[in-house]
Amino acid sequence: MRKLNAALVPLLLVGAVSMAQGQTGDDARGPVEYRVLATSRTSTMEKELNEAAAEGFRFEGVMGGETAFGGSEVVSLLMRGEEAEGGRYSYRLLATSQTATMQEEMREAGRDGYSYRGQTVYSSLFGGDEVVVIMERDEAGPPRRDDYQLLATSRTSTLETELNEVGQDGFRLVGITVGETAFGGDEVVVLTERIADN
């Protein structure tokens, strides 16, 4: 794991605080602590996320891109408060250069009780551009099963029609990225979610 360029930390913290406020509203009280994970290998990020979660940190945001000293990296930001429960959350990281396989991987994670938390597009050292999705399971919460529909298109003119089609089946937008994927070229990748039927 590489250290994150210090100049990027304030920008990431502002984004994470905004996301956290959106999730917890005015109920957030007391001091919080942050953990920044930055790696050029997506294969190590899941392990690092779960190690931090065991210490009571919760995932808040992810971004892929070029850092000043680390080159192309995936950067994840986690946060914990005074009443953090170590081991409450567990994480699964999905990374693929083929958007066609991401939907099935997300559906499998959803069947295992994981829910979408974030996504980015990342230029890996070996796999070219990959779509990276972070999934989270609340080990202390009620069992939850989610279903996912991924839309990937190089033609934004068709995206609205496709979104309305899946919207009729109850799928709601959870994330969107734009990037160059291995088979689709420059694509808009949209992820939608609904509670699974069973």
Side-chain angles (χ1 to χ4, degrees), residues 67-137:
T67 58
F69 300 104
S72 183
E73 294 186 304
V74 175
V75 179
S76 292
L77 192 59
L78 298 90
M79 183 174 70
R80 71 176 173 187
E82 291 179 316
E83 299 180 2
E85 297 179 48
R88 173 164 183 169
Y89 299 102
S90 61
Y91 295 95
R92 188 173 291 178
L93 183 144
L94 309 176
T96 179
S97 59
Q98 301 181 48
T99 54
T101 66
M102 179 61 78
Q103 178 173 292
E104 186 48 45
E105 291 181 29
M106 290 187 71
R107 285 182 164 169
E108 181 180 335
R111 288 190 292 269
D112 290 339
Y114 288 86
S115 296
Y116 171 92
R117 282 304 307 272
Q119 78 188 78
T120 189
V121 175
Y122 158 73
S123 296
S124 68
L125 294 175
F126 304 105
D129 284 355
E130 294 183 324
V131 176
V132 176
V133 174
I134 307 291
M135 307 283 285
E136 176 188 82
R137 182 168 64 194

Side-chain angles (χ1 to χ4, degrees), residues 33-37 51-52 55 57 76-80:
E33 181 182 355
Y34 294 95
R35 171 86 41 98
V36 178
L37 305 177
E51 287 173 350
E55 297 176 34
F57 287 90
S76 292
L77 192 59
L78 298 90
M79 183 174 70
R80 71 176 173 187

Side-chain angles (χ1 to χ4, degrees), residues 20-21 24-33 79-84:
Q21 288 173 343
T24 59
D26 293 331
D27 294 335
R29 300 282 188 263
V32 294
E33 181 182 355
M79 183 174 70
R80 71 176 173 187
E82 291 179 316
E83 299 180 2

Side-chain angles (χ1 to χ4, degrees), residues 140-176:
R144 177 175 169 163
R145 301 289 181 266
D146 293 318
D147 191 15
Y148 294 91
Q149 184 77 40
L150 182 148
L151 306 174
T153 180
S154 57
R155 300 177 62 191
T156 54
S157 59
T158 66
L159 185 57
E160 183 176 314
T161 300
E162 293 178 46
L163 279 168
N164 281 312
E165 287 175 0
V166 299
Q168 291 301 307
D169 292 328
F171 285 92
R172 297 183 179 271
L173 176 72
V174 290
I176 181 171

Side-chain angles (χ1 to χ4, degrees), residues 4 11 17 40 45 56 93 95 123 133-134 183:
L4 181 63
L11 297 174
V17 169
S40 59
M45 181 60 78
L93 183 144
S123 296
V133 174
I134 307 291
F183 297 99

